[in-house]
Amino acid sequence: MLRAPTAVRVSLPTVLVVVATVWPAWWFFATRGTLDGYPGDSGLCPVSNVPPQWPDWIPV
């Protein structure tokens, strides 16, 4: 029977925890964004709530 390399078996739990943490956080901020009137909202972002310097390769 074929087994995965040791590096894969050791790092897999860490990768799964990171994905399980980052994905819901990214989804939340992508769907909710910064709420209007939130004290941290500087008002410098356009209506889309995406800063002009945001890289195109990172989905919003």
Side-chain angles (χ1 to χ4, degrees), residues 3 8-9 11 24 30 34-35 37 41-42 52 54-60:
R3 293 188 68 181
V8 172
R9 285 187 284 126
S11 62
T34 304
L35 303 176
D41 188 3
S42 65
W54 191 262
D56 291 332
W57 57 271
I58 300 178
V60 211

Side-chain angles (χ1 to χ4, degrees), residues 19-33 59-60:
V19 168
T21 304
V22 170
W23 183 81
W26 198 320
W27 174 84
F28 178 77
F29 286 111
T31 57
R32 298 294 303 245
V60 211

